[in-house]
Amino acid sequence: MYRGLPSAATASHIHGPSVSTKNAGILHHLTPTQITNLLAGDLYVNVHTANNPSGEIRGQLCPTIIPLALNGANEPTPTGSPGTAVGFVVLVGKQFSVGLHYRDLTVAANNAHLHGTGLPGQSVGVLIPRNNASYFSGGFGVSGFLIGSETTTDAIAGHIVDGFTHLNIHTPGPFSGGEIRGQVTP
């Protein structure tokens, strides 16, 4: 969606690959390589106008904004926890970001991780720890926020896009393996 252009739009195209102000060719059909470029954040949209036929406005395509919901029923062994969380995971190229509000845990959280690769209900290893100061504000609690961003690897970005990762929040005691969990499903 666009608005406020100084003259009428004449065309709009997806271009790429390019992540800077350099111009790239128009894409007519997405090939496997161009899909990889899209997932890497290397494609852009350009809107052409009568006053600026080479392009009036331009913006990189954000390939993945994923809503996320966590609860105890999603753990491999359901916990019965009243805890819940809602938020999002964003992946632009190799830049992984998360914003998550959690509440009503049985005790204060002590860890959070992005796990993978696995299907819902599988126990799998940690891909990205969320327990560092880059991801929580004011320390873990019974309720709180996880928010932050970091650069990850091509392999981890691929697993996130494929839907084979999940985020969970751990608490000490009976839920040390995870109190609430949500699959990251694009």
Side-chain angles (χ1 to χ4, degrees):
M1 181 169 159
Y2 58 86
R3 64 177 177 227
L5 298 175
S7 62
T10 58
S12 179
H13 309 282
I14 296 175
H15 295 258
S18 179
V19 294
S20 66
T21 58
K22 295 182 180 177
N23 294 330
I26 296 171
L27 305 180
H28 298 285
H29 301 286
L30 287 180
T31 67
T33 298
Q34 291 164 338
I35 290 170
T36 299
N37 292 333
L38 172 65
L39 296 175
D42 293 342
L43 302 183
Y44 66 92
V45 173
N46 200 357
V47 177
H48 307 265
T49 64
N51 288 355
N52 289 293
S54 63
E56 179 80 35
I57 58 174
R58 168 185 172 151
Q60 292 299 120
L61 293 174
C62 177
T64 312
I65 300 174
I66 306 166
L68 188 60
L70 285 69
N71 62 54
N74 291 335
E75 288 289 344
T77 301
T79 64
S81 169
T84 59
V86 294
F88 62 87
V89 165
V90 176
L91 186 64
V92 178
K94 295 181 198 174
Q95 192 66 32
F96 171 84
S97 301
V98 64
L100 189 70
H101 174 252
Y102 65 92
R103 60 184 236 169
D104 300 328
L105 299 176
T106 56
V107 296
N110 66 351
N111 234 327
H113 306 289
L114 179 75
H115 292 264
T117 60
L119 297 172
Q122 285 185 305
S123 294
V124 291
V126 173
L127 292 176
I128 302 175
R130 305 268 64 81
N131 60 341
N132 61 51
S134 298
Y135 285 94
F136 61 85
S137 177
F140 283 119
V142 172
S143 296
F145 294 93
L146 290 172
I147 190 164
S149 184
E150 68 182 79
T151 301
T152 189
T153 66
D154 286 335
I156 292 173
H159 296 312
I160 293 167
V161 170
D162 288 342
F164 295 121
T165 58
H166 69 270
L167 190 80
N168 74 343
I169 297 177
H170 302 257
T171 55
F175 304 132
S176 61
E179 183 167 334
I180 60 175
R181 169 180 169 156
Q183 196 76 12
V184 179
T185 307

